[in-house]
Amino acid sequence: MRIQYAISLWNFRHYARVGSLEQELDQIRTLGYGVELWGKWRNIEDLYGESQRARLKAALGDMPLSLHTGFAYSFSEYKAQVDAAHDLGAHIVVAHSDEFYTDDSGALDVGLCRDVVAYAAERGVCIALENGQLPFLERAIAAVEGLRICLDVGHVYLTDVPMGDFLAALKSHLVHLHLQDVLPPVEADLPHAGADHYILGTGGIPGEDWELLTATLQEMDFEGTVVFEIQPRNPYQTAHLGRRFFDSLLP
């Protein structure tokens, strides 16, 4: 098994004190991580646009790299982002499941998905579908040859399906991971609480599920990138964590 750890640029949108794109990419590289690009960066609305590519290439160098779609819903939008991935040297593009819905019912647009996956393959790029509902993912990988899966660990707990079922159904197509934790119930009721994207081990994902995930990765001899997609807790959540810790020290 060989894992490349990476940091998503999505993380930085949650902080006020952030350096320039070049400064943050240099820090990520210095710390030994790869990077997953996100479609927006501070005042840049389209980081994947052709006008940004020379700057990105210079800043990225030979960093391990993946790309997350900036919400593409048509073949032309996907083509532009696959072309960006190819030009920048990213071999995996992570796509949101709902980008391949035909309508609000959540039906799979098989034609669009096949066309995007085929075009990406021509450009040396793999499309990794990020998990939403498991039945949708199962239909997609059955219908579209060459489609692969990005398992976002936290997204599993936004469904009613256990982690074991996701792993059993998807592991033969799994090429990429997003790592995060979800809020335990006591924190979910606090003001302004988001459900997911928190520091691993500080949330509500059971320890046995983390153990099942790592055992599965070892069993399949996983070789790929795992990306940290993490946002900070708000002041109420932070105070709750600090209080819980300090209370545990008091008699």
Short mmCIF file of all heavy atoms in Angstrom, two decimals, residues 76-129:
data_model
loop_
_atom_site.label_atom_id
_atom_site.label_comp_id
_atom_site.label_asym_id
_atom_site.label_seq_id
_atom_site.Cartn_x
_atom_site.Cartn_y
_atom_site.Cartn_z
N SER A 76 -19.30 20.73 -22.22
CA SER A 76 -18.32 21.79 -22.49
C SER A 76 -17.65 22.25 -21.20
O SER A 76 -16.44 22.54 -21.19
CB SER A 76 -19.00 22.97 -23.20
OG SER A 76 -20.02 23.53 -22.39
N GLU A 77 -18.40 22.32 -20.11
CA GLU A 77 -17.81 22.71 -18.83
C GLU A 77 -16.83 21.64 -18.34
O GLU A 77 -15.74 21.96 -17.84
CB GLU A 77 -18.90 22.95 -17.79
CG GLU A 77 -19.73 24.19 -18.05
CD GLU A 77 -20.91 24.31 -17.11
OE1 GLU A 77 -21.55 23.28 -16.80
OE2 GLU A 77 -21.21 25.44 -16.70
N TYR A 78 -17.21 20.39 -18.51
CA TYR A 78 -16.31 19.31 -18.12
C TYR A 78 -15.07 19.28 -19.00
O TYR A 78 -13.96 19.05 -18.53
CB TYR A 78 -17.02 17.96 -18.18
CG TYR A 78 -17.47 17.50 -16.82
CD1 TYR A 78 -18.81 17.47 -16.48
CD2 TYR A 78 -16.55 17.10 -15.85
CE1 TYR A 78 -19.22 17.06 -15.23
CE2 TYR A 78 -16.95 16.69 -14.60
CZ TYR A 78 -18.29 16.67 -14.30
OH TYR A 78 -18.68 16.28 -13.05
N LYS A 79 -15.27 19.46 -20.28
CA LYS A 79 -14.13 19.45 -21.20
C LYS A 79 -13.09 20.48 -20.79
O LYS A 79 -11.88 20.19 -20.77
CB LYS A 79 -14.61 19.74 -22.63
CG LYS A 79 -13.50 19.74 -23.67
CD LYS A 79 -14.09 19.99 -25.06
CE LYS A 79 -12.99 19.94 -26.13
NZ LYS A 79 -11.98 21.01 -25.95
N ALA A 80 -13.55 21.68 -20.42
CA ALA A 80 -12.61 22.73 -20.02
C ALA A 80 -11.83 22.33 -18.78
O ALA A 80 -10.62 22.60 -18.67
CB ALA A 80 -13.38 24.02 -19.78
N GLN A 81 -12.49 21.66 -17.84
CA GLN A 81 -11.80 21.29 -16.61
C GLN A 81 -10.89 20.08 -16.80
O GLN A 81 -9.82 20.00 -16.20
CB GLN A 81 -12.83 21.07 -15.51
CG GLN A 81 -13.56 22.38 -15.21
CD GLN A 81 -14.43 22.34 -13.99
OE1 GLN A 81 -13.99 21.90 -12.92
NE2 GLN A 81 -15.66 22.79 -14.12
N VAL A 82 -11.28 19.17 -17.66
CA VAL A 82 -10.39 18.05 -18.00
C VAL A 82 -9.16 18.58 -18.73
O VAL A 82 -8.03 18.14 -18.47
CB VAL A 82 -11.14 17.00 -18.85
CG1 VAL A 82 -10.15 16.00 -19.46
CG2 VAL A 82 -12.18 16.28 -18.01
N ASP A 83 -9.37 19.53 -19.62
CA ASP A 83 -8.23 20.13 -20.33
C ASP A 83 -7.29 20.82 -19.34
O ASP A 83 -6.06 20.73 -19.48
CB ASP A 83 -8.72 21.14 -21.37
CG ASP A 83 -9.37 20.47 -22.57
OD1 ASP A 83 -9.18 19.25 -22.76
OD2 ASP A 83 -10.09 21.17 -23.33
N ALA A 84 -7.86 21.49 -18.33
CA ALA A 84 -7.03 22.12 -17.31
C ALA A 84 -6.23 21.07 -16.55
O ALA A 84 -5.02 21.25 -16.30
CB ALA A 84 -7.91 22.92 -16.35
N ALA A 85 -6.87 19.97 -16.19
CA ALA A 85 -6.18 18.89 -15.48
C ALA A 85 -5.03 18.36 -16.32
O ALA A 85 -3.90 18.17 -15.83
CB ALA A 85 -7.16 17.78 -15.14
N HIS A 86 -5.29 18.11 -17.59
CA HIS A 86 -4.25 17.61 -18.49
C HIS A 86 -3.08 18.58 -18.58
O HIS A 86 -1.91 18.19 -18.46
CB HIS A 86 -4.84 17.37 -19.88
CG HIS A 86 -3.83 17.04 -20.92
ND1 HIS A 86 -3.22 18.00 -21.70
CD2 HIS A 86 -3.30 15.85 -21.31
CE1 HIS A 86 -2.37 17.43 -22.53
NE2 HIS A 86 -2.39 16.13 -22.31
N ASP A 87 -3.39 19.86 -18.77
CA ASP A 87 -2.34 20.86 -18.94
C ASP A 87 -1.51 21.03 -17.67
O ASP A 87 -0.31 21.35 -17.74
CB ASP A 87 -2.95 22.20 -19.33
CG ASP A 87 -3.55 22.19 -20.73
OD1 ASP A 87 -3.32 21.19 -21.46
OD2 ASP A 87 -4.26 23.16 -21.08
N LEU A 88 -2.13 20.83 -16.50
CA LEU A 88 -1.44 21.04 -15.23
C LEU A 88 -0.77 19.78 -14.71
O LEU A 88 -0.01 19.83 -13.74
CB LEU A 88 -2.42 21.56 -14.19
CG LEU A 88 -3.01 22.95 -14.47
CD1 LEU A 88 -4.15 23.24 -13.50
CD2 LEU A 88 -1.94 24.03 -14.37
N GLY A 89 -1.07 18.63 -15.33
CA GLY A 89 -0.46 17.38 -14.91
C GLY A 89 -1.23 16.62 -13.86
O GLY A 89 -0.66 15.75 -13.18
N ALA A 90 -2.52 16.91 -13.71
CA ALA A 90 -3.37 16.17 -12.76
C ALA A 90 -3.99 14.98 -13.49
O ALA A 90 -4.61 15.14 -14.54
CB ALA A 90 -4.46 17.08 -12.21
N HIS A 91 -3.85 13.80 -12.92
CA HIS A 91 -4.37 12.60 -13.57
C HIS A 91 -5.73 12.17 -13.02
O HIS A 91 -6.35 11.25 -13.56
CB HIS A 91 -3.38 11.45 -13.43
CG HIS A 91 -2.06 11.72 -14.09
ND1 HIS A 91 -1.93 11.86 -15.47
CD2 HIS A 91 -0.82 11.95 -13.58
CE1 HIS A 91 -0.68 12.13 -15.76
NE2 HIS A 91 0.02 12.18 -14.64
N ILE A 92 -6.20 12.84 -11.97
CA ILE A 92 -7.52 12.54 -11.41
C ILE A 92 -8.31 13.83 -11.28
O ILE A 92 -7.81 14.84 -10.77
CB ILE A 92 -7.41 11.85 -10.04
CG1 ILE A 92 -6.94 10.40 -10.23
CG2 ILE A 92 -8.76 11.87 -9.30
CD1 ILE A 92 -6.92 9.58 -8.97
N VAL A 93 -9.55 13.78 -11.76
CA VAL A 93 -10.50 14.86 -11.56
C VAL A 93 -11.65 14.29 -10.73
O VAL A 93 -12.31 13.32 -11.13
CB VAL A 93 -11.05 15.41 -12.90
CG1 VAL A 93 -12.22 16.35 -12.66
CG2 VAL A 93 -9.94 16.12 -13.67
N VAL A 94 -11.89 14.88 -9.56
CA VAL A 94 -12.98 14.45 -8.69
C VAL A 94 -14.23 15.22 -9.06
O VAL A 94 -14.21 16.46 -9.15
CB VAL A 94 -12.63 14.70 -7.21
CG1 VAL A 94 -13.78 14.30 -6.30
CG2 VAL A 94 -11.35 13.95 -6.83
N ALA A 95 -15.33 14.49 -9.27
CA ALA A 95 -16.59 15.09 -9.69
C ALA A 95 -17.67 14.86 -8.64
O ALA A 95 -17.75 13.78 -8.05
CB ALA A 95 -17.05 14.48 -11.02
N HIS A 96 -18.50 15.87 -8.40
CA HIS A 96 -19.65 15.70 -7.51
C HIS A 96 -20.71 14.83 -8.19
O HIS A 96 -20.96 14.97 -9.40
CB HIS A 96 -20.28 17.05 -7.17
CG HIS A 96 -19.37 17.99 -6.45
ND1 HIS A 96 -18.68 18.99 -7.09
CD2 HIS A 96 -19.04 18.08 -5.14
CE1 HIS A 96 -17.97 19.67 -6.20
NE2 HIS A 96 -18.15 19.14 -5.02
N SER A 97 -21.35 13.98 -7.43
CA SER A 97 -22.38 13.09 -8.01
C SER A 97 -23.49 13.87 -8.69
O SER A 97 -23.96 13.49 -9.78
CB SER A 97 -22.98 12.19 -6.92
OG SER A 97 -22.07 11.22 -6.49
N ASP A 98 -23.94 14.97 -8.07
CA ASP A 98 -25.10 15.67 -8.62
C ASP A 98 -24.80 16.38 -9.93
O ASP A 98 -25.71 16.86 -10.61
CB ASP A 98 -25.70 16.63 -7.61
CG ASP A 98 -24.75 17.73 -7.16
OD1 ASP A 98 -23.60 17.77 -7.65
OD2 ASP A 98 -25.16 18.56 -6.32
N GLU A 99 -23.53 16.45 -10.31
CA GLU A 99 -23.20 17.03 -11.61
C GLU A 99 -23.63 16.12 -12.76
O GLU A 99 -23.69 16.57 -13.92
CB GLU A 99 -21.69 17.30 -11.68
CG GLU A 99 -21.25 18.40 -10.73
CD GLU A 99 -19.74 18.50 -10.57
OE1 GLU A 99 -19.02 17.78 -11.28
OE2 GLU A 99 -19.31 19.28 -9.73
N PHE A 100 -23.95 14.87 -12.45
CA PHE A 100 -24.41 13.94 -13.48
C PHE A 100 -25.88 13.57 -13.30
O PHE A 100 -26.33 12.56 -13.81
CB PHE A 100 -23.54 12.68 -13.48
CG PHE A 100 -22.14 12.92 -13.98
CD1 PHE A 100 -21.06 12.80 -13.13
CD2 PHE A 100 -21.91 13.30 -15.29
CE1 PHE A 100 -19.77 13.02 -13.58
CE2 PHE A 100 -20.62 13.53 -15.76
CZ PHE A 100 -19.55 13.39 -14.90
N TYR A 101 -26.63 14.37 -12.55
CA TYR A 101 -28.07 14.16 -12.46
C TYR A 101 -28.74 14.70 -13.72
O TYR A 101 -28.35 15.75 -14.24
CB TYR A 101 -28.67 14.91 -11.26
CG TYR A 101 -28.33 14.37 -9.90
CD1 TYR A 101 -28.79 15.01 -8.75
CD2 TYR A 101 -27.56 13.22 -9.72
CE1 TYR A 101 -28.49 14.54 -7.48
CE2 TYR A 101 -27.26 12.74 -8.46
CZ TYR A 101 -27.73 13.41 -7.34
OH TYR A 101 -27.43 12.94 -6.09
N THR A 102 -29.77 14.00 -14.17
CA THR A 102 -30.55 14.53 -15.30
C THR A 102 -31.51 15.61 -14.83
O THR A 102 -31.86 16.52 -15.58
CB THR A 102 -31.36 13.42 -16.00
OG1 THR A 102 -32.23 12.81 -15.02
CG2 THR A 102 -30.45 12.37 -16.59
N ASP A 103 -31.97 15.51 -13.58
CA ASP A 103 -32.93 16.47 -13.02
C ASP A 103 -32.91 16.32 -11.50
O ASP A 103 -32.05 15.63 -10.94
CB ASP A 103 -34.35 16.22 -13.56
CG ASP A 103 -34.78 14.76 -13.45
OD1 ASP A 103 -34.48 14.13 -12.41
OD2 ASP A 103 -35.40 14.25 -14.39
N ASP A 104 -33.86 16.94 -10.84
CA ASP A 104 -33.90 16.92 -9.38
C ASP A 104 -34.21 15.54 -8.81
O ASP A 104 -34.07 15.32 -7.59
CB ASP A 104 -34.92 17.93 -8.86
CG ASP A 104 -34.48 19.37 -9.10
OD1 ASP A 104 -33.27 19.58 -9.30
OD2 ASP A 104 -35.36 20.26 -9.11
N SER A 105 -34.65 14.61 -9.65
CA SER A 105 -34.96 13.27 -9.17
C SER A 105 -33.71 12.46 -8.85
O SER A 105 -33.79 11.41 -8.21
CB SER A 105 -35.81 12.51 -10.20
OG SER A 105 -35.02 12.18 -11.34
N GLY A 106 -32.55 12.92 -9.31
CA GLY A 106 -31.31 12.20 -9.06
C GLY A 106 -31.04 11.07 -10.03
O GLY A 106 -30.22 10.20 -9.73
N ALA A 107 -31.69 11.07 -11.18
CA ALA A 107 -31.41 10.05 -12.20
C ALA A 107 -30.06 10.34 -12.86
O ALA A 107 -29.67 11.50 -13.03
CB ALA A 107 -32.52 10.03 -13.24
N LEU A 108 -29.36 9.29 -13.24
CA LEU A 108 -28.05 9.42 -13.85
C LEU A 108 -28.15 9.81 -15.31
O LEU A 108 -28.87 9.18 -16.09
CB LEU A 108 -27.30 8.08 -13.73
CG LEU A 108 -25.97 7.97 -14.47
CD1 LEU A 108 -24.93 8.90 -13.85
CD2 LEU A 108 -25.47 6.52 -14.46
N ASP A 109 -27.41 10.83 -15.70
CA ASP A 109 -27.29 11.20 -17.11
C ASP A 109 -26.18 10.33 -17.70
O ASP A 109 -25.00 10.72 -17.72
CB ASP A 109 -26.95 12.69 -17.24
CG ASP A 109 -27.02 13.18 -18.68
OD1 ASP A 109 -26.84 12.36 -19.59
OD2 ASP A 109 -27.25 14.39 -18.88
N VAL A 110 -26.57 9.16 -18.17
CA VAL A 110 -25.59 8.17 -18.63
C VAL A 110 -24.79 8.71 -19.80
O VAL A 110 -23.56 8.55 -19.87
CB VAL A 110 -26.30 6.86 -19.01
CG1 VAL A 110 -25.29 5.86 -19.60
CG2 VAL A 110 -26.99 6.24 -17.80
N GLY A 111 -25.46 9.36 -20.74
CA GLY A 111 -24.77 9.87 -21.92
C GLY A 111 -23.70 10.88 -21.57
O GLY A 111 -22.56 10.78 -22.06
N LEU A 112 -24.03 11.83 -20.73
CA LEU A 112 -23.04 12.83 -20.33
C LEU A 112 -21.88 12.18 -19.59
O LEU A 112 -20.71 12.47 -19.87
CB LEU A 112 -23.70 13.88 -19.43
CG LEU A 112 -22.75 14.92 -18.82
CD1 LEU A 112 -22.05 15.73 -19.91
CD2 LEU A 112 -23.49 15.84 -17.85
N CYS A 113 -22.18 11.28 -18.68
CA CYS A 113 -21.13 10.64 -17.89
C CYS A 113 -20.20 9.84 -18.78
O CYS A 113 -18.96 9.91 -18.65
CB CYS A 113 -21.76 9.76 -16.82
SG CYS A 113 -20.62 9.26 -15.51
N ARG A 114 -20.75 9.09 -19.71
CA ARG A 114 -19.92 8.31 -20.63
C ARG A 114 -19.04 9.21 -21.48
O ARG A 114 -17.85 8.94 -21.69
CB ARG A 114 -20.80 7.43 -21.51
CG ARG A 114 -21.38 6.22 -20.81
CD ARG A 114 -22.32 5.45 -21.72
NE ARG A 114 -22.79 4.22 -21.07
CZ ARG A 114 -23.79 3.47 -21.54
NH1 ARG A 114 -24.40 3.80 -22.67
NH2 ARG A 114 -24.15 2.38 -20.89
N ASP A 115 -19.62 10.29 -22.00
CA ASP A 115 -18.86 11.20 -22.85
C ASP A 115 -17.70 11.85 -22.07
O ASP A 115 -16.59 11.98 -22.59
CB ASP A 115 -19.77 12.29 -23.42
CG ASP A 115 -20.73 11.77 -24.47
OD1 ASP A 115 -20.52 10.63 -24.96
OD2 ASP A 115 -21.69 12.49 -24.81
N VAL A 116 -17.98 12.26 -20.84
CA VAL A 116 -16.95 12.92 -20.03
C VAL A 116 -15.83 11.93 -19.69
O VAL A 116 -14.64 12.25 -19.81
CB VAL A 116 -17.57 13.50 -18.74
CG1 VAL A 116 -16.48 13.93 -17.76
CG2 VAL A 116 -18.47 14.68 -19.08
N VAL A 117 -16.19 10.72 -19.27
CA VAL A 117 -15.19 9.72 -18.90
C VAL A 117 -14.34 9.35 -20.12
O VAL A 117 -13.12 9.21 -20.01
CB VAL A 117 -15.86 8.48 -18.29
CG1 VAL A 117 -14.87 7.33 -18.14
CG2 VAL A 117 -16.48 8.82 -16.94
N ALA A 118 -14.98 9.20 -21.28
CA ALA A 118 -14.24 8.85 -22.49
C ALA A 118 -13.29 9.98 -22.90
O ALA A 118 -12.12 9.72 -23.26
CB ALA A 118 -15.21 8.55 -23.62
N TYR A 119 -13.77 11.21 -22.86
CA TYR A 119 -12.91 12.34 -23.22
C TYR A 119 -11.74 12.46 -22.25
O TYR A 119 -10.59 12.67 -22.67
CB TYR A 119 -13.70 13.64 -23.25
CG TYR A 119 -12.84 14.83 -23.61
CD1 TYR A 119 -12.43 15.02 -24.93
CD2 TYR A 119 -12.40 15.73 -22.65
CE1 TYR A 119 -11.61 16.08 -25.28
CE2 TYR A 119 -11.57 16.80 -22.98
CZ TYR A 119 -11.19 16.97 -24.30
OH TYR A 119 -10.37 18.02 -24.65
N ALA A 120 -12.02 12.30 -20.97
CA ALA A 120 -10.94 12.38 -19.98
C ALA A 120 -9.89 11.31 -20.23
O ALA A 120 -8.68 11.58 -20.14
CB ALA A 120 -11.53 12.24 -18.57
N ALA A 121 -10.33 10.08 -20.55
CA ALA A 121 -9.38 9.00 -20.81
C ALA A 121 -8.47 9.34 -21.99
O ALA A 121 -7.27 9.04 -21.96
CB ALA A 121 -10.14 7.70 -21.07
N GLU A 122 -9.02 9.98 -23.02
CA GLU A 122 -8.21 10.40 -24.16
C GLU A 122 -7.12 11.39 -23.75
O GLU A 122 -6.06 11.45 -24.36
CB GLU A 122 -9.10 11.06 -25.22
CG GLU A 122 -10.07 10.10 -25.91
CD GLU A 122 -11.03 10.84 -26.83
OE1 GLU A 122 -10.88 12.07 -27.00
OE2 GLU A 122 -11.93 10.18 -27.39
N ARG A 123 -7.40 12.15 -22.69
CA ARG A 123 -6.46 13.16 -22.21
C ARG A 123 -5.58 12.65 -21.06
O ARG A 123 -4.84 13.41 -20.45
CB ARG A 123 -7.23 14.41 -21.74
CG ARG A 123 -8.11 15.04 -22.81
CD ARG A 123 -7.29 15.74 -23.86
NE ARG A 123 -6.94 17.08 -23.45
CZ ARG A 123 -5.97 17.81 -24.00
NH1 ARG A 123 -5.23 17.30 -24.97
NH2 ARG A 123 -5.72 19.04 -23.58
N GLY A 124 -5.69 11.35 -20.77
CA GLY A 124 -4.87 10.78 -19.71
C GLY A 124 -5.36 11.13 -18.32
O GLY A 124 -4.57 11.16 -17.36
N VAL A 125 -6.66 11.38 -18.20
CA VAL A 125 -7.26 11.82 -16.93
C VAL A 125 -8.35 10.83 -16.53
O VAL A 125 -9.11 10.34 -17.37
CB VAL A 125 -7.86 13.24 -17.06
CG1 VAL A 125 -8.60 13.63 -15.79
CG2 VAL A 125 -6.76 14.25 -17.38
N CYS A 126 -8.42 10.53 -15.24
CA CYS A 126 -9.44 9.63 -14.69
C CYS A 126 -10.50 10.45 -13.97
O CYS A 126 -10.17 11.34 -13.18
CB CYS A 126 -8.77 8.66 -13.72
SG CYS A 126 -9.91 7.68 -12.72
N ILE A 127 -11.76 10.18 -14.22
CA ILE A 127 -12.87 10.81 -13.51
C ILE A 127 -13.21 9.95 -12.30
O ILE A 127 -13.56 8.78 -12.44
CB ILE A 127 -14.11 11.00 -14.39
CG1 ILE A 127 -13.78 11.85 -15.62
CG2 ILE A 127 -15.25 11.62 -13.58
CD1 ILE A 127 -13.39 13.28 -15.32
N ALA A 128 -13.12 10.54 -11.10
CA ALA A 128 -13.44 9.85 -9.85
C ALA A 128 -14.71 10.49 -9.27
O ALA A 128 -14.68 11.65 -8.87
CB ALA A 128 -12.29 9.95 -8.86
N LEU A 129 -15.78 9.74 -9.26
CA LEU A 129 -17.08 10.25 -8.81
C LEU A 129 -17.13 10.24 -7.28
O LEU A 129 -16.93 9.20 -6.65
CB LEU A 129 -18.20 9.38 -9.38
CG LEU A 129 -19.63 9.87 -9.21
CD1 LEU A 129 -19.84 11.21 -9.91
CD2 LEU A 129 -20.60 8.84 -9.78
#
